[in-house]
Structures are given as structure tokens and as C-alpha cells.
Amino acid sequence: QSFKLLGFLDVKSVPCARESVLYGSLGSLVVGLGHFLATSRVRRSCDFAVGGFICTMLGYWFYCRYNLAQHRIRQRMLKEGMRNKILFEGSSLDPERKQTGDERSDS
Amino acid sequence: MANHSQFGFQDASSPIMEELVEFHDHALMVALAICSLVLYLLTLMLMEKLSSTTVDAQEIELIWTILPAIVLILLALPSLQILYMMDEVDEPDLTLKAIGHQWYWTYEYTDFKDLTFDSYMTPTTELSPGHFRLLEVDHRVVIPMESPIRIIVTASDVLHSWAIPALGVKTDAIPGRLNQTSFITTRPGIFYGQCSEICGANHSYMPIVVESTPLTHFEHWSSILSS
């Protein structure tokens, strides 16, 4: 079953969404409560809490998605490398053979 | 294909569709942030008195000019990146043509052999167990998996549109015009689509089925079809 935040963001199936919202909530609590404890101004603390929520949520979102994108690129490179190894193993196009050949010629 | 009452995208089966799903998630997160802010401001306004003596508000005007500009940049950059990525046609292994008619598709594989066939929807009364109503066809488009495929789409009579949601492909079929698109299927499988441009009485009854198979199976299929 999916849980859609505000009716449209499925936090369970979207990678990084759940963590972003949770960290955003934590950031909102910390910033809002911290501001209130420091200044005792309720209205301004609420403003800071909402701002903290948005900034923390988006900040973690971009960080997590960047890492996810790098992970996916590494996954694709690994998949490509594994396929090339299986395809070309033992043939003249085998990258490992080329590497070994270079080492022999250097020595 | 989509499940019953499915709201989101189908699972991505091509790199472009994966990027589109990522961008969609990104756009929804930005939308969530904006909606949260708007909801909060609305709540504040409901608790405010209606009197205001503000005549000049330079700071807030600056904020509500710069913030939307930042939001637009956050959305535009990945969007343009994917848009240009979709237009890349990088040495396809196979070119096939899809011609839309009222109300069926014709496919032509003319790279190596002259293979042409029509693809009609399988009527509901002739479906086999396990087949999908209004989605199955008599002849599927078989393509090799993990190979760049170029498809040239046109129509013979009225406007049609060749679309496969799982692959992120939707190309208009316009009479007298050749539209080109390309895709790569990342895994074997059967991908369903439907005509996406109103074309008459049976517009809903001219589906598209793409079968992505390993190269050996594709070669076997094409040799059977050509004989």
C-alpha cells in the first residue's frame, strides 16, 4: 500500500523521499524549537520551522539523489564491464589480455 | 502494462524512461516543498486581521521574485537535459518503420530482409487465457534487447501516435511526414502501448505490443517470418 504525502508524493516507492521528509521534519523541529527557546517568539519560530523543513528536506533530497545517480552510473559501468568480460574473454579484444600484454612489453 | 487502478508510471524498461521517472520524482519533491509553503502561508493568512498598513515591501518582493526563478532553474535544467537526451540517435542496430492506419499498425523491417506485417488487435472473443483485453495483437513487434532501435513513424490516413509508456516512447504518426525516435530496452519482456492520437471510431482498439528478446531469438523470429 502506498502512502501519498499531500495526496501526490508516494514516499514509500520514491527513493530518498521518505528520508527527506523525515529529516525535513527533524530539521523543522530543531530550528523552530531552537528559535523559540532563544527568542520566545512563537510566530517567528513557526516561520523558521517551516523554512527549516523546506530547506532540510530539499537539501537532503539533492544530496541523496546525487549519491543515487552516482550509484546508478557505477552500476551501469559494472554491468557493461561484466558483459564485456564475458563476451570478449580469451579473445583479442579481452581488456585483461591487453593489460597483461602491456605489462609484458614493459618488462 | 498498467495494473488496475494504477496511478503512477509503469516500471521503466529503457534508460530514457528511467531518467523520466527520476525527473518526475524530483519535480514532485519540489512541488511538495512549494505546496507546504503555500499551505503554511494560507493558514497564516486565515489567522491574520484584515487590516494592513503596508505601503512598501521591497524585501518580500525581492524574495518572491528570486525564489520562483530558482525553482524554475531547478526544474528546467534536468528537464532540458532529458529533452536533448531523448533526441540522441546513436548508431542504431536496427531501424524499423511503423505506419498507422485506421485501425491497425503496419511494421516494416527493411534493414536486412524485406519483412512487412500488419498488427491488428486480438478481439476479446479470441483471447487466450492470460492475455489482456484490448491490448493483445496478432503480430507483435519483436526487437533485440539491449540494442539501440530506431523507429520511423508515419501514417497513411489520419493522425495516430505510437506510444509505449514503459519505454518512454510516444511519437506522432502524421500522414506525409516521417518522425524518428529511438530507444533501448534494458531487459527482455513484453511492453504494451496504445494509439495516443484520436483517429476515429476504433482509436482505442489499435494497440501496440513490443516484444524484447535476446538477439538469437530475434534472428530466429525474423528468419521464420521471412520464409
Side-chain angles (χ1 to χ4, degrees):
Chain A
Q1 283 184 358
S2 60
F3 173 69
K4 290 194 175 76
L5 209 59
L6 289 187
F8 58 80
L9 184 72
D10 189 352
V11 288
K12 280 186 184 173
S13 64
V14 174
C16 299
R18 183 174 167 268
E19 291 82 13
S20 296
V21 171
L22 289 174
Y23 277 115
S25 308
L26 183 68
S28 156
L29 203 67
V30 165
V31 169
L33 206 61
H35 187 269
F36 177 71
L37 289 173
T39 60
S40 299
R41 292 173 69 176
V42 177
R43 169 75 179 266
R44 186 56 64 93
S45 300
C46 288
D47 295 344
F48 270 80
V50 170
F53 171 74
I54 291 170
C55 291
T56 317
M57 184 178 71
L58 284 181
Y60 184 80
W61 171 257
F62 287 124
Y63 167 75
C64 186
R65 295 296 275 197
Y66 178 74
N67 287 341
L68 189 72
Q70 283 195 323
H71 181 70
R72 284 174 63 224
I73 289 168
R74 277 199 294 270
Q75 236 175 359
R76 279 184 202 154
M77 285 170 64
L78 193 67
K79 191 178 164 188
E80 186 76 21
M82 280 167 64
R83 190 174 55 182
N84 286 344
K85 182 173 166 57
I86 293 167
L87 273 176
F88 299 127
E89 195 170 20
S91 72
S92 58
L93 294 169
D94 187 355
E96 282 181 14
R97 179 184 271 196
K98 276 187 186 171
Q99 227 174 11
T100 320
D102 289 342
E103 284 167 6
R104 279 190 196 146
S105 63
D106 287 345
S107 65
Chain B
M1 57 158 276
N3 293 320
H4 300 289
S5 68
Q6 179 167 332
F7 192 70
F9 290 123
Q10 296 178 30
D11 288 341
S13 299
S14 75
I16 293 288
M17 192 58 199
E18 286 173 13
E19 295 298 322
L20 285 170
V21 170
E22 295 278 316
F23 173 67
H24 176 260
D25 295 341
H26 168 72
L28 279 194
M29 187 54 77
V30 173
L32 179 71
I34 294 168
C35 285
S36 309
L37 180 65
V38 170
L39 208 62
Y40 175 67
L41 291 173
L42 273 174
T43 318
L44 276 186
M45 294 305 114
L46 285 173
M47 296 189 300
E48 279 283 319
K49 289 181 192 168
L50 291 174
S51 61
S52 171
T53 51
T54 306
V55 293
D56 178 31
Q58 291 296 331
E59 298 86 4
I60 192 138
E61 298 241 355
L62 202 64
I63 292 170
W64 68 36
T65 307
I66 290 175
L67 264 185
I70 294 172
V71 167
L72 284 175
I73 290 169
L74 281 180
L75 291 174
L77 288 178
S79 171
L80 288 171
Q81 188 188 16
I82 297 172
L83 188 67
Y84 282 96
M85 206 187 295
M86 287 166 80
D87 269 345
E88 285 173 8
V89 181
D90 196 19
E91 291 186 12
D93 289 346
L94 180 70
T95 299
L96 66 113
K97 299 175 201 73
I99 302 158
H101 307 268
Q102 283 179 310
W103 289 280
Y104 62 99
W105 294 93
T106 300
Y107 299 103
E108 294 180 7
Y109 293 66
T110 48
D111 276 352
F112 311 110
K113 299 177 187 175
D114 204 3
L115 297 178
T116 305
F117 58 89
D118 295 336
S119 179
Y120 282 84
M121 185 188 84
T122 306
T124 307
T125 49
E126 294 173 25
L127 287 174
S128 305
H131 279 189
F132 302 114
R133 192 181 75 95
L134 306 186
L135 285 176
E136 298 291 346
V137 295
D138 53 359
H139 298 109
R140 293 172 178 167
V141 183
V142 181
I143 57 168
M145 60 178 268
E146 292 182 340
S147 303
I149 309 289
R150 170 167 52 202
I151 179 154
I152 297 172
V153 183
T154 186
S156 65
D157 37 37
V158 298
L159 295 180
H160 299 273
S161 185
W162 199 83
I164 311 265
L167 304 178
V169 171
K170 184 175 287 182
T171 307
D172 282 353
I174 299 167
R177 181 184 169 88
L178 298 174
N179 283 331
Q180 174 185 261
T181 190
S182 67
F183 57 90
I184 301 174
T185 48
T186 50
R187 52 186 169 187
I190 301 171
F191 309 109
Y192 296 91
Q194 292 175 291
C195 178
S196 299
E197 186 68 43
I198 187 80
C199 54
N202 287 351
H203 156 68
S204 309
Y205 309 115
M206 49 181 295
I208 300 138
V209 183
V210 170
E211 186 173 333
S212 170
T213 60
L215 186 60
T216 45
H217 292 86
F218 170 74
E219 287 169 348
H220 178 65
W221 168 82
S222 65
S223 64
I224 289 175
L225 207 65
S226 59
S227 59

